[in-house]
Amino acid sequence: MNARTLNILGLGLVGIVGIAFLILTPRFAELDTVLELTVYMIMAVLSLSLALIWGYGGILCFGQSAFFGLGAYTYAIAMFNIGESTVPFLLAIALPAAFAALLGYFVFYGRISDVYLGVITLTVTLILFNSINSTAGPEFHIGAARLGGFNGIPGIPALNYPGNKAAAVDLEGMFYLSTAALLVTYFGLRLLLASRFGRIIVGIRENERRAELLGYDPRAYKLVTFTIGGALAGFAGCLFANWGNFVSPTIFGLAQSAQIIIWVIVGGRGTLIGPIIGCIGIQWLTTALGANQPSGSDWWTKLLANAPFIFGVILIAFVLLVPKGLVPTFGDFGQWLLRARTRRVAAASLEPKQAEEG
Amino acid sequence: MAEPLLQTRDLSMHFGGVKAVRNVNFTLAEGELRCLIGPNGAGKSTFFKMLTGQLQPSLGQVLFRGHDISKAHAHEIARLGIGIKTQVPSVFDGLSVRENIWLAASRIHNRHRVNAVVDEMLERIGLTSAANRLVGQLAHGQRQWVELGIVLSTDPDLILLDEPAAGMTHEEVNKTAELVREINRSKALIVVEHDMQFIRMIAKQVTVFNQGSVLVEDSVENILRNPLVRDVYLGKQAAA
Ligand SMILES: Nc1ncnc2c1ncn2[C@@H]1O[C@H](COP(=O)(O)OP(=O)(O)OP(=O)(O)O)[C@@H](O)[C@H]1O
Ligand SMILES: [Mg+2]
């Protein structure tokens, strides 16, 4: 089996599993499970935004939540002012994308080094956190939308079918929409990465100087990649604001920013399916840990129910033991198995010969 | 006289107090093959970096077909038609040989033509059977060939080769010399090399660098006879 057939098989598998999941889940699962799975799907879209810019573009952004949060807030604010969701939906993608383009322009064209990009994006998200956090008073409003400060914005109107304000998307509809969004994002990114543009950004990640000496302008390619990442994170933010009909400044917080990076590290950079698996797995673990309140009062039962502690351990374990992340490591293991089999076959075909000689 | 392909005027590069290149006036005609030699630290690689936009000259100018490119970005210079094989091979180690060549070729060819061009180049550098291997896993000599293939695939009018034969076997060196002569049928080249055997195989005109300046410029026969050149290579201070 060569790489190409494996690739096509993989794509087919993801498609079949994804569509089966999309169709079957609401039929067999309880509503609260469907609700839970919906947010996993939304966060997986967010994880893909970092998978693209970091895993393929080599741009380490510590503040991907800035664009996620901007998307959510933009949707909320626009929704209270407009009422029909088509424009708010588009704004929730366009505004974070424009913000990413502006930030990226200064960073990439200003020749600021990659490490500083991490620091700058982290700072930006913390600035957003602090600014929005301090807008609790009624004097802070944009049009009809009160920003609400640390209390957040509750009661955000749901998306409606384009152009039809009366036909709002219900909970089950949100599940379909979010799962479809994930599938479309995944396959869209696969297409992008197989295109000339996608191959060039990987080349730039591998050796920026060489790409430059071949005549590619790395600044332009990174800017476009970063902007697409911002748009995707904003899109996820819009879905998230719809999911709970609520958004608060914690969306910009350090915990949220760190989580996205952990999803990608655990799942594996340089793949798309990895960060999706990392994202869903870790969120599932968070829920499971939260549900299992410690029954005993031993220090170790308490420790095991302490989610940040567990995540810390997982992160360190991955960085030290599985630095490439789950999916690439499985890939290596699979290749090793294939090679081992080829060796065995080769050895078996040699045996009769040796027997003749002996 | 026809306009030269490349010309530098008082080109200089200072690193703090170190004058790595000083006041170099260098001229290369269209289609010329020039060898650049000189002891370690003479400033050859620094000179190349200024020609390709990897370093901004401290002083002086670089003119390529009359355009001043001394302040241009590396990618702009590449698009004007200067390609470089760097001293430390600069390739895409994490990608396959084919992808390396593809990335170079697709800068100038559209997607209908690019795959055929890549196949041709793989054949030309003798790596067709290794096309799907990761470049990082290849032997040093083969990585040099990949880099040559990358540079040739963007079809530059001027090709700079910084020690192309380093780390190659005797056989590979011969093959490289042959390739350089073949490239020179249609392109101009500047080749930096320490291997005198190799220089003899390819050179017509040679420029000798010493301590950042041009020491002499002459035909290869005269350079090899020149006692001054012998002295700088033996580490003696040049009398002049
Ligand atoms: N980035 C830098 N910063 C400071 N000094 C530098 C830098 N690059 C080169 N040099 C110095 O400039 C001088 C010329 O270096 P260069 O690499 O151009 O020499 P070279 O002729 O290519 O030598 P070699 O034959 O060993 O490759 C050396 O003294 C080197 O130490
Ligand atoms: Mg050098």
Side-chain angles (χ1 to χ4, degrees):
Chain A
M1 230 179 335
N2 63 25
R4 203 191 163 89
T5 25
L6 267 178
N7 206 5
I8 292 170
L9 277 179
L11 273 178
L13 189 69
V14 173
I16 290 167
V17 170
I19 290 170
F21 178 78
L22 175 77
I23 295 171
L24 298 179
T25 307
R27 300 204 181 169
F28 296 105
E30 302 288 332
L31 192 60
D32 56 347
T33 310
V34 171
L35 208 62
E36 186 72 33
L37 291 173
T38 304
V39 77
Y40 291 2
M41 299 298 112
I42 294 169
M43 292 304 185
V45 173
L46 178 59
S47 80
L48 282 180
S49 76
L50 190 66
L52 171 71
I53 68 168
W54 185 26
Y56 288 90
I59 305 164
L60 178 50
C61 174
F62 282 126
Q64 198 62 9
S65 56
F67 310 116
F68 181 61
L70 268 181
Y73 267 94
T74 303
Y75 175 77
I77 292 165
M79 210 46 198
F80 280 111
N81 283 297
I82 297 172
E84 200 275 328
S85 70
T86 310
V87 172
F89 171 79
L90 294 175
L91 277 178
I93 296 171
L95 197 93
F99 185 61
L102 189 73
L103 194 64
Y105 178 79
F106 284 115
V107 172
F108 300 129
Y109 282 77
R111 300 240 162 214
I112 294 172
S113 81
D114 293 354
V115 183
Y116 285 105
L117 175 71
V119 177
I120 288 171
T121 48
L122 184 61
T123 312
V124 164
T125 196
L126 293 180
I127 289 173
L128 285 170
F129 174 77
N130 281 319
S131 320
I132 308 248
N133 217 15
S134 54
T135 58
E139 67 272 28
F140 295 104
H141 62 92
I142 297 176
R146 276 184 54 178
L147 293 180
F150 48 83
N151 295 317
I153 305 178
I156 303 168
L159 282 162
N160 52 254
Y161 290 87
N164 184 0
K165 211 169 140 178
V169 177
D170 62 5
L171 290 182
E172 209 164 89
M174 256 327 273
F175 173 82
Y176 288 126
L177 183 63
S178 305
T179 309
L182 178 60
L183 286 170
V184 168
T185 305
Y186 174 82
F187 285 104
L189 287 179
R190 286 294 295 251
L191 273 179
L192 180 77
L193 289 166
S195 74
R196 181 175 183 271
F197 176 85
R199 290 164 81 171
I200 291 167
I201 65 168
V202 171
I204 292 171
R205 177 196 72 191
E206 284 295 313
N207 188 342
E208 183 164 343
R209 178 41 64 76
R210 180 34 90 192
E212 232 176 340
L213 292 174
L214 291 178
Y216 297 113
D217 186 353
R219 302 169 302 175
Y221 283 91
K222 284 184 173 184
L223 181 59
V224 173
T225 309
F226 194 58
T227 305
I228 296 173
L232 272 179
F235 175 47
C238 170
L239 294 174
F240 183 74
N242 265 281
W243 173 72
N245 303 113
F246 174 71
V247 55
S248 82
T250 50
I251 202 170
F252 293 112
L254 208 54
Q256 179 65 40
S257 297
Q259 267 214 0
I260 309 171
I261 296 171
I262 295 174
W263 296 336
V264 177
I265 289 178
V266 167
R269 270 163 295 160
T271 71
L272 293 179
I273 201 74
I276 295 178
I277 292 172
C279 168
I280 294 176
I282 288 198
Q283 287 192 92
W284 173 80
L285 200 65
T286 315
T287 317
L289 287 174
N292 281 324
Q293 285 307 319
S295 45
S297 55
D298 300 325
W299 62 269
W300 53 271
T301 35
K302 277 186 190 152
L303 210 55
L304 280 179
N306 181 339
F309 172 77
I310 300 285
F311 291 143
V313 171
I314 290 176
L315 182 62
I316 291 171
F318 266 89
V319 170
L320 293 178
L321 304 175
V322 203
K324 283 174 151 183
L326 283 177
V327 169
T329 305
F330 265 112
D332 288 352
F333 183 66
Q335 269 186 359
W336 178 82
L337 276 184
L338 267 177
R339 269 204 304 275
R341 216 190 76 188
T342 324
R343 268 199 303 275
R344 263 204 311 282
V345 171
S349 68
L350 276 176
E351 264 161 24
K353 229 181 187 172
Q354 282 165 346
E356 272 168 38
E357 280 166 8
Chain B
M1 209 182 89
E3 186 181 53
L5 177 65
L6 182 83
Q7 196 173 19
T8 72
R9 292 187 185 149
D10 289 328
L11 194 64
S12 307
M13 187 74 224
H14 305 161
F15 296 112
V18 181
K19 296 189 170 170
V21 173
R22 41 184 141 180
N23 301 76
V24 170
N25 290 289
F26 178 95
T27 305
L28 187 81
E30 294 273 357
E32 192 182 342
L33 165 62
R34 181 76 61 90
C35 284
L36 192 59
I37 64 171
N40 292 114
K44 307 176 298 287
S45 296
T46 306
F47 181 63
F48 271 10
K49 282 181 186 161
M50 286 190 283
L51 300 184
T52 49
Q54 299 179 71
L55 282 174
Q56 298 261 307
S58 309
L59 290 169
Q61 285 176 313
V62 181
L63 302 178
F64 184 65
R65 292 195 168 127
H67 298 286
D68 185 352
I69 57 166
S70 32
K71 300 226 160 36
H73 287 291
H75 70 267
E76 292 166 337
I77 294 176
R79 281 170 180 263
L80 286 175
I82 302 183
I84 181 170
K85 199 203 93 50
T86 54
Q87 186 167 354
V88 180
S90 177
V91 287
F92 305 103
D93 273 326
L95 305 178
S96 70
V97 174
R98 175 179 293 280
E99 189 72 3
N100 269 260
I101 305 294
W102 185 92
L103 280 168
S106 69
R107 223 262 296 134
I108 58 166
H109 295 291
N110 66 29
R111 65 196 164 88
H112 302 294
R113 255 192 64 65
V114 66
N115 288 327
V117 172
V118 170
D119 286 336
E120 251 168 60
M121 184 56 70
L122 285 170
E123 202 62 51
R124 190 168 167 199
I125 58 173
L127 288 175
T128 303
S129 58
N132 294 323
R133 292 187 53 196
L134 292 186
V135 172
Q137 293 171 353
L138 299 180
H140 182 76
Q142 285 181 311
R143 289 175 72 228
Q144 299 261 60
W145 282 101
V146 172
E147 198 180 15
L148 271 171
I150 286 178
V151 174
L152 292 176
S153 296
T154 57
D155 202 28
D157 295 331
L158 170 59
I159 297 176
L160 313 177
L161 303 177
D162 200 342
E163 306 199 10
M168 284 190 171
T169 62
H170 187 66
E171 205 173 314
E172 285 171 327
V173 170
N174 288 341
K175 210 170 128 196
T176 309
E178 202 176 297
L179 183 67
V180 167
R181 280 195 301 261
E182 184 206 315
I183 296 167
N184 188 228
R185 277 187 220 129
S186 54
K187 315 278 179 203
L189 292 113
I190 309 177
V191 183
V192 167
E193 196 42 77
H194 285 297
D195 184 342
M196 285 300 164
Q197 206 65 37
F198 182 77
I199 298 282
R200 246 188 230 114
M201 282 190 270
I202 60 167
K204 296 161 197 155
Q205 198 74 9
V206 178
T207 300
V208 184
F209 265 39
N210 186 39
Q211 298 188 345
S213 312
V214 176
L215 183 70
V216 278
E217 209 166 80
D218 211 334
S219 69
V220 63
E221 300 82 19
N222 290 340
I223 289 290
L224 292 173
R225 278 202 296 266
N226 191 326
L228 215 55
V229 175
R230 197 157 304 200
D231 283 350
V232 301
Y233 259 94
L234 291 176
K236 291 185 199 159
Q237 208 59 34

